[in-house]
Amino acid sequence: MQTGQSVIGSLKKSGFRMTNIRRELVGIFSNSKVPLSAPQLRIMLEEQGITANKTTIYREIYFLLEQKIIMEIELGEGKKRYEMADRDHHHHLVCMKCFSIEDVELEADLHEEEGRIERLKKFKITNHALEFFGFCAGCQ
Amino acid sequence: MQTGQSVIGSLKKSGFRMTNIRRELVGIFSNSKVPLSAPQLRIMLEEQGITANKTTIYREIYFLLEQKIIMEIELGEGKKRYEMADRDHHHHLVCMKCFSIEDVELEADLHEEEGRIERLKKFKITNHALEFFGFCAGCQ
DNA sequence: TGCTTAATACAACTAAGTTGCATTAACATA
DNA sequence: TATGTTAATGCAACTTAGTTGTATTAAGCA
């Protein structure tokens, strides 16, 4: 996975301005092991001494999505989360008690399944969302 | 899948009151081929000549979830959808252009995968969410 | 040092969903 | 078929996530 510094470098090289908020957000994403929501990002910036308007947060998320630096996921909470886009394809284990989120990689390959569905339903699949819900080691 | 009438019958037998809103909602769910959101349900009731407060809609959804008559799903829209709970396990094809929703059954079995993950991560999986996104036959 | 304009803030808004409390009506029983 | 109990409903006020238009600020180049 790209480091925060390398992302910042390539954004600069592409001609985008580098502000405190943008730099810090890239740093937060590249250091986080879990997907983060917009309200969470705002709090984390605040903790770093950076006050950002919520509009700015949403616009910056939009920018980072456009640049394919982050990707969007939903974990059934009624809000969106984001994580670095260049990670190995993976899924999440969401604890229904403490709401912790853990990564997991699939051994099974959904690609043939997707091929079968595409032929059967004449539907062009571009991506999928697969998350597992249950109870983490500490909460069982 | 249970019919609306049989659901209404067993709810009555369990001692729950049968109101117009509840009866109509059960009917709507048992006739719908796609998962429905709270705002959508309210509009569909209105179309049947039943005006319901949105609080009532949410409380009725909560009731039907508790009774395990419906189940909750999320299709990445920032709102929840609900469908009959006693259907065969299935997933959804969500068109990113016209936002139509189609059912699809998986041939691959995720159970062994879940067993592997449970052992590996010491995480007790109770359910999963798998949805496919892309473009339907008409939108490609 | 100043210019251009991307980035930001602010205010006002929408949409989904929640909470507390007052009111209404389903239905058991008398 | 009247009546009492309380589940179901309505209403108002609220929260949280997210959006839009416009004015202001500041990054980075000439």
Side-chain angles (χ1 to χ4, degrees):
Chain A
M1 200 178 75
Q2 268 190 107
T3 64
Q5 275 312 312
S6 70
V7 172
I8 290 167
S10 63
L11 281 177
K12 272 190 184 166
K13 202 148 52 176
S14 304
F16 298 107
R17 293 183 190 174
M18 194 47 53
T19 62
N20 285 344
I21 293 175
R22 179 164 296 166
R23 194 188 339 265
E24 194 60 35
L25 282 178
V26 168
I28 287 171
F29 275 119
S30 62
N31 287 326
S32 177
K33 288 187 200 72
V34 294
L36 303 166
S37 66
Q40 238 176 333
L41 287 167
R42 202 177 177 196
I43 292 164
M44 293 170 83
L45 282 178
E46 195 70 50
E47 284 165 355
Q48 302 300 317
I50 299 172
T51 302
N53 190 277
K54 69 171 169 170
T55 308
T56 305
I57 301 287
Y58 284 108
R59 292 203 176 127
E60 198 59 30
I61 286 171
Y62 182 78
F63 169 82
L64 294 173
L65 280 172
E66 256 192 329
Q67 300 308 314
K68 303 224 198 301
I69 290 163
I70 59 173
M71 56 177 292
E72 186 180 290
I73 62 165
E74 278 224 34
L75 265 24
E77 308 159 293
K79 67 184 162 191
K80 289 169 179 174
R81 289 181 174 268
Y82 306 88
E83 63 183 359
M84 292 297 280
D86 67 341
R87 306 185 45 191
D88 284 342
H89 185 67
H90 67 285
H91 302 277
H92 299 96
L93 301 176
V94 184
C95 178
M96 307 285 278
K97 195 171 167 210
C98 72
F99 297 103
S100 64
I101 301 163
E102 201 177 340
D103 288 349
V104 68
E105 263 153 71
L106 222 57
E107 240 174 39
D109 186 7
L110 286 175
H111 278 89
E112 2 177 333
E113 190 69 30
E114 292 189 350
R116 184 186 65 83
I117 293 169
E118 289 192 329
R119 285 187 297 275
L120 179 71
K121 299 283 190 176
K122 305 192 179 343
F123 186 101
K124 177 67 194 157
I125 295 174
T126 54
N127 64 314
H128 63 245
L130 171 57
E131 320 297 347
F132 298 94
F133 302 95
F135 300 97
C136 73
C139 285
Q140 290 172 36
Chain B
M1 200 178 76
Q2 269 189 104
T3 64
Q5 274 313 312
S6 69
V7 171
I8 290 168
S10 61
L11 281 177
K12 271 190 183 167
K13 202 148 51 177
S14 304
F16 296 108
R17 294 183 189 173
M18 194 46 54
T19 62
N20 285 345
I21 293 175
R22 179 164 296 165
R23 192 185 344 263
E24 193 61 35
L25 282 178
V26 168
I28 287 171
F29 275 119
S30 63
N31 287 326
S32 177
K33 287 189 200 71
V34 295
L36 303 165
S37 66
Q40 237 176 334
L41 288 167
R42 203 177 176 197
I43 292 164
M44 292 169 84
L45 282 178
E46 195 69 50
E47 285 166 355
Q48 301 300 317
I50 299 173
T51 302
N53 189 277
K54 69 171 168 169
T55 307
T56 304
I57 301 289
Y58 285 108
R59 292 211 255 248
E60 199 58 31
I61 286 171
Y62 182 77
F63 169 81
L64 294 172
L65 281 172
E66 257 193 327
Q67 299 309 314
K68 302 223 198 305
I69 290 164
I70 58 172
M71 58 176 293
E72 185 180 292
I73 62 166
E74 277 226 31
L75 265 24
E77 309 159 292
K79 67 184 163 191
K80 290 169 178 174
R81 289 181 174 268
Y82 307 89
E83 61 183 0
M84 292 298 278
D86 67 340
R87 307 185 44 192
D88 284 343
H89 186 68
H90 67 285
H91 302 276
H92 300 96
L93 301 175
V94 184
C95 178
M96 308 285 278
K97 195 170 167 210
C98 72
F99 298 103
S100 64
I101 301 163
E102 201 177 339
D103 288 350
V104 68
E105 264 153 71
L106 222 57
E107 240 174 40
D109 187 5
L110 286 175
H111 279 89
E112 350 177 344
E113 190 68 31
E114 291 190 349
R116 185 186 66 84
I117 293 170
E118 289 192 329
R119 286 187 296 277
L120 179 71
K121 299 282 190 178
K122 305 193 180 343
F123 186 102
K124 177 67 194 157
I125 296 174
T126 54
N127 64 312
H128 64 244
L130 171 58
E131 319 299 346
F132 298 93
F133 302 95
F135 300 97
C136 72
C139 286
Q140 290 172 34

mmCIF file of all heavy atoms in Angstrom, chain B residues 61-95:
data_model
loop_
_atom_site.group_PDB
_atom_site.id
_atom_site.type_symbol
_atom_site.label_atom_id
_atom_site.label_comp_id
_atom_site.label_asym_id
_atom_site.label_seq_id
_atom_site.Cartn_x
_atom_site.Cartn_y
_atom_site.Cartn_z
ATOM 1 N N ILE B 61 -41.851 -0.988 11.314
ATOM 2 C CA ILE B 61 -40.692 -1.711 10.776
ATOM 3 C C ILE B 61 -39.976 -2.429 11.918
ATOM 4 O O ILE B 61 -39.629 -3.608 11.809
ATOM 5 C CB ILE B 61 -39.722 -0.739 10.057
ATOM 6 C CG1 ILE B 61 -40.316 -0.317 8.711
ATOM 7 C CG2 ILE B 61 -38.351 -1.380 9.861
ATOM 8 C CD1 ILE B 61 -39.557 0.803 8.018
ATOM 9 N N TYR B 62 -39.782 -1.723 13.022
ATOM 10 C CA TYR B 62 -39.119 -2.311 14.183
ATOM 11 C C TYR B 62 -39.894 -3.536 14.675
ATOM 12 O O TYR B 62 -39.305 -4.581 14.969
ATOM 13 C CB TYR B 62 -39.006 -1.255 15.285
ATOM 14 C CG TYR B 62 -38.295 -1.745 16.509
ATOM 15 C CD1 TYR B 62 -36.903 -1.854 16.529
ATOM 16 C CD2 TYR B 62 -39.010 -2.123 17.647
ATOM 17 C CE1 TYR B 62 -36.247 -2.315 17.652
ATOM 18 C CE2 TYR B 62 -38.365 -2.594 18.771
ATOM 19 C CZ TYR B 62 -36.975 -2.683 18.774
ATOM 20 O OH TYR B 62 -36.327 -3.157 19.887
ATOM 21 N N PHE B 63 -41.219 -3.391 14.719
ATOM 22 C CA PHE B 63 -42.084 -4.500 15.150
ATOM 23 C C PHE B 63 -41.931 -5.707 14.225
ATOM 24 O O PHE B 63 -41.736 -6.834 14.673
ATOM 25 C CB PHE B 63 -43.545 -4.032 15.196
ATOM 26 C CG PHE B 63 -44.547 -5.142 15.369
ATOM 27 C CD1 PHE B 63 -44.813 -5.679 16.618
ATOM 28 C CD2 PHE B 63 -45.213 -5.666 14.263
ATOM 29 C CE1 PHE B 63 -45.732 -6.707 16.781
ATOM 30 C CE2 PHE B 63 -46.125 -6.698 14.418
ATOM 31 C CZ PHE B 63 -46.383 -7.221 15.675
ATOM 32 N N LEU B 64 -42.005 -5.466 12.932
ATOM 33 C CA LEU B 64 -41.930 -6.567 11.964
ATOM 34 C C LEU B 64 -40.539 -7.211 11.960
ATOM 35 O O LEU B 64 -40.410 -8.408 11.726
ATOM 36 C CB LEU B 64 -42.304 -6.069 10.565
ATOM 37 C CG LEU B 64 -43.760 -5.606 10.397
ATOM 38 C CD1 LEU B 64 -43.983 -4.953 9.031
ATOM 39 C CD2 LEU B 64 -44.732 -6.772 10.589
ATOM 40 N N LEU B 65 -39.508 -6.420 12.251
ATOM 41 C CA LEU B 65 -38.157 -6.972 12.393
ATOM 42 C C LEU B 65 -38.087 -7.872 13.627
ATOM 43 O O LEU B 65 -37.556 -8.984 13.560
ATOM 44 C CB LEU B 65 -37.124 -5.846 12.534
ATOM 45 C CG LEU B 65 -36.681 -5.128 11.262
ATOM 46 C CD1 LEU B 65 -35.812 -3.922 11.616
ATOM 47 C CD2 LEU B 65 -35.937 -6.062 10.318
ATOM 48 N N GLU B 66 -38.636 -7.382 14.736
ATOM 49 C CA GLU B 66 -38.642 -8.144 15.992
ATOM 50 C C GLU B 66 -39.355 -9.475 15.815
ATOM 51 O O GLU B 66 -38.923 -10.492 16.358
ATOM 52 C CB GLU B 66 -39.396 -7.350 17.065
ATOM 53 C CG GLU B 66 -38.522 -6.658 18.079
ATOM 54 C CD GLU B 66 -39.361 -6.183 19.256
ATOM 55 O OE1 GLU B 66 -40.540 -5.819 19.036
ATOM 56 O OE2 GLU B 66 -38.839 -6.178 20.387
ATOM 57 N N GLN B 67 -40.462 -9.448 15.075
ATOM 58 C CA GLN B 67 -41.248 -10.663 14.843
ATOM 59 C C GLN B 67 -40.615 -11.535 13.762
ATOM 60 O O GLN B 67 -41.181 -12.565 13.390
ATOM 61 C CB GLN B 67 -42.682 -10.309 14.437
ATOM 62 C CG GLN B 67 -43.448 -9.516 15.489
ATOM 63 C CD GLN B 67 -43.388 -10.154 16.871
ATOM 64 O OE1 GLN B 67 -43.587 -11.353 16.993
ATOM 65 N NE2 GLN B 67 -43.082 -9.355 17.885
ATOM 66 N N LYS B 68 -39.479 -11.084 13.257
ATOM 67 C CA LYS B 68 -38.747 -11.801 12.200
ATOM 68 C C LYS B 68 -39.593 -12.033 10.946
ATOM 69 O O LYS B 68 -39.449 -13.039 10.262
ATOM 70 C CB LYS B 68 -38.200 -13.130 12.725
ATOM 71 C CG LYS B 68 -37.254 -12.962 13.931
ATOM 72 C CD LYS B 68 -36.046 -13.861 13.760
ATOM 73 C CE LYS B 68 -35.274 -14.101 15.058
ATOM 74 N NZ LYS B 68 -34.830 -12.901 15.762
ATOM 75 N N ILE B 69 -40.492 -11.093 10.678
ATOM 76 C CA ILE B 69 -41.311 -11.175 9.472
ATOM 77 C C ILE B 69 -40.555 -10.536 8.310
ATOM 78 O O ILE B 69 -40.624 -10.993 7.180
ATOM 79 C CB ILE B 69 -42.675 -10.490 9.705
ATOM 80 C CG1 ILE B 69 -43.477 -11.356 10.687
ATOM 81 C CG2 ILE B 69 -43.439 -10.294 8.395
ATOM 82 C CD1 ILE B 69 -44.633 -10.649 11.300
ATOM 83 N N ILE B 70 -39.825 -9.488 8.620
ATOM 84 C CA ILE B 70 -38.979 -8.874 7.593
ATOM 85 C C ILE B 70 -37.522 -8.876 8.047
ATOM 86 O O ILE B 70 -37.227 -9.091 9.229
ATOM 87 C CB ILE B 70 -39.410 -7.420 7.283
ATOM 88 C CG1 ILE B 70 -39.367 -6.545 8.545
ATOM 89 C CG2 ILE B 70 -40.801 -7.399 6.675
ATOM 90 C CD1 ILE B 70 -39.585 -5.060 8.279
ATOM 91 N N MET B 71 -36.612 -8.661 7.101
ATOM 92 C CA MET B 71 -35.202 -8.509 7.438
ATOM 93 C C MET B 71 -34.672 -7.231 6.802
ATOM 94 O O MET B 71 -35.273 -6.699 5.866
ATOM 95 C CB MET B 71 -34.402 -9.711 6.962
ATOM 96 C CG MET B 71 -34.508 -9.977 5.475
ATOM 97 S SD MET B 71 -33.462 -11.349 4.939
ATOM 98 C CE MET B 71 -31.837 -10.649 5.220
ATOM 99 N N GLU B 72 -33.577 -6.758 7.343
ATOM 100 C CA GLU B 72 -33.003 -5.487 6.922
ATOM 101 C C GLU B 72 -31.833 -5.725 5.974
ATOM 102 O O GLU B 72 -31.030 -6.606 6.213
ATOM 103 C CB GLU B 72 -32.501 -4.782 8.186
ATOM 104 C CG GLU B 72 -31.982 -3.390 7.992
ATOM 105 C CD GLU B 72 -31.519 -2.809 9.322
ATOM 106 O OE1 GLU B 72 -32.365 -2.561 10.189
ATOM 107 O OE2 GLU B 72 -30.299 -2.641 9.475
ATOM 108 N N ILE B 73 -31.757 -4.933 4.912
ATOM 109 C CA ILE B 73 -30.559 -4.984 4.070
ATOM 110 C C ILE B 73 -30.136 -3.555 3.720
ATOM 111 O O ILE B 73 -30.914 -2.616 3.847
ATOM 112 C CB ILE B 73 -30.786 -5.777 2.766
ATOM 113 C CG1 ILE B 73 -31.862 -5.104 1.909
ATOM 114 C CG2 ILE B 73 -31.145 -7.213 3.042
ATOM 115 C CD1 ILE B 73 -31.893 -5.620 0.508
ATOM 116 N N GLU B 74 -28.889 -3.421 3.303
ATOM 117 C CA GLU B 74 -28.372 -2.114 2.878
ATOM 118 C C GLU B 74 -27.751 -2.263 1.506
ATOM 119 O O GLU B 74 -26.983 -3.172 1.270
ATOM 120 C CB GLU B 74 -27.308 -1.622 3.857
ATOM 121 C CG GLU B 74 -27.919 -0.955 5.046
ATOM 122 C CD GLU B 74 -27.222 0.352 5.378
ATOM 123 O OE1 GLU B 74 -26.715 1.029 4.464
ATOM 124 O OE2 GLU B 74 -27.184 0.671 6.568
ATOM 125 N N LEU B 75 -28.094 -1.360 0.636
ATOM 126 C CA LEU B 75 -27.607 -1.432 -0.731
ATOM 127 C C LEU B 75 -26.726 -0.228 -1.066
ATOM 128 O O LEU B 75 -26.591 0.150 -2.229
ATOM 129 C CB LEU B 75 -28.793 -1.513 -1.697
ATOM 130 C CG LEU B 75 -29.258 -2.895 -2.162
ATOM 131 C CD1 LEU B 75 -28.895 -4.015 -1.216
ATOM 132 C CD2 LEU B 75 -30.736 -2.910 -2.448
ATOM 133 N N GLY B 76 -26.126 0.350 -0.036
ATOM 134 C CA GLY B 76 -25.161 1.422 -0.255
ATOM 135 C C GLY B 76 -25.797 2.731 -0.678
ATOM 136 O O GLY B 76 -25.192 3.520 -1.385
ATOM 137 N N GLU B 77 -27.013 2.985 -0.212
ATOM 138 C CA GLU B 77 -27.695 4.222 -0.592
ATOM 139 C C GLU B 77 -27.792 5.195 0.563
ATOM 140 O O GLU B 77 -28.365 6.270 0.414
ATOM 141 C CB GLU B 77 -29.139 3.917 -1.023
ATOM 142 C CG GLU B 77 -29.289 2.842 -2.043
ATOM 143 C CD GLU B 77 -30.706 2.282 -1.994
ATOM 144 O OE1 GLU B 77 -31.065 1.621 -0.976
ATOM 145 O OE2 GLU B 77 -31.452 2.510 -2.949
ATOM 146 N N GLY B 78 -27.299 4.794 1.727
ATOM 147 C CA GLY B 78 -27.437 5.645 2.899
ATOM 148 C C GLY B 78 -28.813 5.539 3.533
ATOM 149 O O GLY B 78 -29.222 6.392 4.301
ATOM 150 N N LYS B 79 -29.549 4.505 3.171
ATOM 151 C CA LYS B 79 -30.798 4.227 3.881
ATOM 152 C C LYS B 79 -31.033 2.728 3.874
ATOM 153 O O LYS B 79 -30.449 2.007 3.082
ATOM 154 C CB LYS B 79 -31.975 4.981 3.261
ATOM 155 C CG LYS B 79 -32.355 4.534 1.880
ATOM 156 C CD LYS B 79 -33.471 5.406 1.317
ATOM 157 C CE LYS B 79 -33.560 5.235 -0.193
ATOM 158 N NZ LYS B 79 -34.434 6.221 -0.812
ATOM 159 N N LYS B 80 -31.880 2.271 4.778
ATOM 160 C CA LYS B 80 -32.086 0.841 4.911
ATOM 161 C C LYS B 80 -33.282 0.383 4.106
ATOM 162 O O LYS B 80 -34.203 1.138 3.864
ATOM 163 C CB LYS B 80 -32.245 0.486 6.392
ATOM 164 C CG LYS B 80 -30.928 0.658 7.135
ATOM 165 C CD LYS B 80 -31.076 0.573 8.624
ATOM 166 C CE LYS B 80 -29.690 0.720 9.267
ATOM 167 N NZ LYS B 80 -29.783 0.799 10.739
ATOM 168 N N ARG B 81 -33.221 -0.868 3.702
ATOM 169 C CA ARG B 81 -34.335 -1.477 2.991
ATOM 170 C C ARG B 81 -34.734 -2.743 3.716
ATOM 171 O O ARG B 81 -33.949 -3.322 4.458
ATOM 172 C CB ARG B 81 -33.947 -1.800 1.544
ATOM 173 C CG ARG B 81 -33.795 -0.562 0.673
ATOM 174 C CD ARG B 81 -33.431 -0.918 -0.753
ATOM 175 N NE ARG B 81 -33.426 0.268 -1.586
ATOM 176 C CZ ARG B 81 -34.487 0.700 -2.271
ATOM 177 N NH1 ARG B 81 -35.609 0.002 -2.253
ATOM 178 N NH2 ARG B 81 -34.423 1.801 -2.984
ATOM 179 N N TYR B 82 -35.953 -3.175 3.467
ATOM 180 C CA TYR B 82 -36.499 -4.333 4.165
ATOM 181 C C TYR B 82 -37.215 -5.237 3.178
ATOM 182 O O TYR B 82 -37.804 -4.770 2.207
ATOM 183 C CB TYR B 82 -37.474 -3.873 5.256
ATOM 184 C CG TYR B 82 -36.838 -2.863 6.168
ATOM 185 C CD1 TYR B 82 -36.900 -1.500 5.867
ATOM 186 C CD2 TYR B 82 -36.119 -3.259 7.290
ATOM 187 C CE1 TYR B 82 -36.270 -0.558 6.676
ATOM 188 C CE2 TYR B 82 -35.485 -2.328 8.102
ATOM 189 C CZ TYR B 82 -35.567 -0.975 7.784
ATOM 190 O OH TYR B 82 -34.941 -0.048 8.563
ATOM 191 N N GLU B 83 -37.134 -6.553 3.454
ATOM 192 C CA GLU B 83 -37.870 -7.513 2.634
ATOM 193 C C GLU B 83 -38.274 -8.698 3.498
ATOM 194 O O GLU B 83 -37.748 -8.867 4.595
ATOM 195 C CB GLU B 83 -37.026 -7.965 1.425
ATOM 196 C CG GLU B 83 -35.739 -8.661 1.800
ATOM 197 C CD GLU B 83 -34.891 -9.031 0.595
ATOM 198 O OE1 GLU B 83 -35.276 -8.753 -0.548
ATOM 199 O OE2 GLU B 83 -33.811 -9.612 0.824
ATOM 200 N N MET B 84 -39.201 -9.503 3.017
ATOM 201 C CA MET B 84 -39.682 -10.658 3.762
ATOM 202 C C MET B 84 -38.504 -11.514 4.224
ATOM 203 O O MET B 84 -37.573 -11.787 3.464
ATOM 204 C CB MET B 84 -40.624 -11.504 2.900
ATOM 205 C CG MET B 84 -41.952 -10.832 2.573
ATOM 206 S SD MET B 84 -42.964 -10.458 4.035
ATOM 207 C CE MET B 84 -43.743 -12.062 4.331
ATOM 208 N N ALA B 85 -38.569 -11.956 5.471
ATOM 209 C CA ALA B 85 -37.435 -12.658 6.074
ATOM 210 C C ALA B 85 -37.385 -14.137 5.717
ATOM 211 O O ALA B 85 -36.324 -14.747 5.762
ATOM 212 C CB ALA B 85 -37.499 -12.517 7.593
ATOM 213 N N ASP B 86 -38.521 -14.714 5.332
ATOM 214 C CA ASP B 86 -38.577 -16.167 5.159
ATOM 215 C C ASP B 86 -38.316 -16.615 3.726
ATOM 216 O O ASP B 86 -38.688 -17.705 3.330
ATOM 217 C CB ASP B 86 -39.938 -16.694 5.628
ATOM 218 C CG ASP B 86 -41.064 -16.208 4.726
ATOM 219 O OD1 ASP B 86 -40.854 -15.206 4.008
ATOM 220 O OD2 ASP B 86 -42.135 -16.832 4.736
ATOM 221 N N ARG B 87 -37.642 -15.758 2.966
ATOM 222 C CA ARG B 87 -37.347 -16.124 1.591
ATOM 223 C C ARG B 87 -36.085 -16.974 1.543
ATOM 224 O O ARG B 87 -35.294 -16.988 2.477
ATOM 225 C CB ARG B 87 -37.134 -14.853 0.774
ATOM 226 C CG ARG B 87 -38.298 -13.884 0.920
ATOM 227 C CD ARG B 87 -38.087 -12.729 0.015
ATOM 228 N NE ARG B 87 -37.629 -13.224 -1.278
ATOM 229 C CZ ARG B 87 -37.146 -12.453 -2.215
ATOM 230 N NH1 ARG B 87 -37.049 -11.163 -2.014
ATOM 231 N NH2 ARG B 87 -36.745 -12.963 -3.356
ATOM 232 N N ASP B 88 -35.913 -17.674 0.433
ATOM 233 C CA ASP B 88 -34.661 -18.396 0.241
ATOM 234 C C ASP B 88 -33.515 -17.392 0.290
ATOM 235 O O ASP B 88 -33.658 -16.250 -0.157
ATOM 236 C CB ASP B 88 -34.656 -19.083 -1.144
ATOM 237 C CG ASP B 88 -35.532 -20.323 -1.142
ATOM 238 O OD1 ASP B 88 -35.852 -20.815 -0.034
ATOM 239 O OD2 ASP B 88 -35.899 -20.785 -2.234
ATOM 240 N N HIS B 89 -32.395 -17.834 0.850
ATOM 241 C CA HIS B 89 -31.233 -16.957 0.945
ATOM 242 C C HIS B 89 -30.844 -16.491 -0.462
ATOM 243 O O HIS B 89 -30.691 -17.288 -1.371
ATOM 244 C CB HIS B 89 -30.069 -17.725 1.578
ATOM 245 C CG HIS B 89 -28.883 -16.865 1.832
ATOM 246 N ND1 HIS B 89 -28.888 -15.854 2.772
ATOM 247 C CD2 HIS B 89 -27.661 -16.835 1.260
ATOM 248 C CE1 HIS B 89 -27.717 -15.253 2.765
ATOM 249 N NE2 HIS B 89 -26.951 -15.827 1.859
ATOM 250 N N HIS B 90 -30.717 -15.187 -0.589
ATOM 251 C CA HIS B 90 -30.389 -14.661 -1.916
ATOM 252 C C HIS B 90 -29.627 -13.346 -1.773
ATOM 253 O O HIS B 90 -29.466 -12.823 -0.674
ATOM 254 C CB HIS B 90 -31.663 -14.455 -2.739
ATOM 255 C CG HIS B 90 -32.527 -13.368 -2.190
ATOM 256 N ND1 HIS B 90 -33.286 -13.526 -1.059
ATOM 257 C CD2 HIS B 90 -32.730 -12.094 -2.594
ATOM 258 C CE1 HIS B 90 -33.925 -12.412 -0.802
ATOM 259 N NE2 HIS B 90 -33.605 -11.516 -1.704
ATOM 260 N N HIS B 91 -29.191 -12.822 -2.906
ATOM 261 C CA HIS B 91 -28.438 -11.571 -2.913
ATOM 262 C C HIS B 91 -29.072 -10.638 -3.935
ATOM 263 O O HIS B 91 -30.115 -10.967 -4.493
ATOM 264 C CB HIS B 91 -26.973 -11.877 -3.205
ATOM 265 C CG HIS B 91 -26.396 -12.820 -2.185
ATOM 266 N ND1 HIS B 91 -25.912 -12.391 -0.988
ATOM 267 C CD2 HIS B 91 -26.302 -14.171 -2.177
ATOM 268 C CE1 HIS B 91 -25.531 -13.434 -0.274
ATOM 269 N NE2 HIS B 91 -25.760 -14.536 -0.970
ATOM 270 N N HIS B 92 -28.450 -9.480 -4.166
ATOM 271 C CA HIS B 92 -29.067 -8.507 -5.066
ATOM 272 C C HIS B 92 -28.102 -7.983 -6.114
ATOM 273 O O HIS B 92 -26.912 -7.841 -5.855
ATOM 274 C CB HIS B 92 -29.642 -7.332 -4.269
ATOM 275 C CG HIS B 92 -30.697 -7.751 -3.290
ATOM 276 N ND1 HIS B 92 -30.423 -7.988 -1.980
ATOM 277 C CD2 HIS B 92 -32.021 -8.010 -3.458
ATOM 278 C CE1 HIS B 92 -31.536 -8.368 -1.367
ATOM 279 N NE2 HIS B 92 -32.520 -8.388 -2.241
ATOM 280 N N LEU B 93 -28.670 -7.702 -7.276
ATOM 281 C CA LEU B 93 -27.951 -7.012 -8.332
ATOM 282 C C LEU B 93 -28.494 -5.592 -8.352
ATOM 283 O O LEU B 93 -29.687 -5.394 -8.582
ATOM 284 C CB LEU B 93 -28.210 -7.668 -9.687
ATOM 285 C CG LEU B 93 -27.823 -9.150 -9.823
ATOM 286 C CD1 LEU B 93 -28.257 -9.679 -11.200
ATOM 287 C CD2 LEU B 93 -26.326 -9.321 -9.644
ATOM 288 N N VAL B 94 -27.635 -4.624 -8.069
ATOM 289 C CA VAL B 94 -28.084 -3.234 -8.001
ATOM 290 C C VAL B 94 -27.523 -2.466 -9.196
ATOM 291 O O VAL B 94 -26.307 -2.369 -9.362
ATOM 292 C CB VAL B 94 -27.607 -2.559 -6.700
ATOM 293 C CG1 VAL B 94 -28.158 -1.144 -6.601
ATOM 294 C CG2 VAL B 94 -28.009 -3.388 -5.489
ATOM 295 N N CYS B 95 -28.420 -1.942 -10.028
ATOM 296 C CA CYS B 95 -27.966 -1.186 -11.198
ATOM 297 C C CYS B 95 -27.560 0.223 -10.764
ATOM 298 O O CYS B 95 -28.344 0.939 -10.133
ATOM 299 C CB CYS B 95 -29.056 -1.100 -12.260
ATOM 300 S SG CYS B 95 -28.530 -0.123 -13.684
#
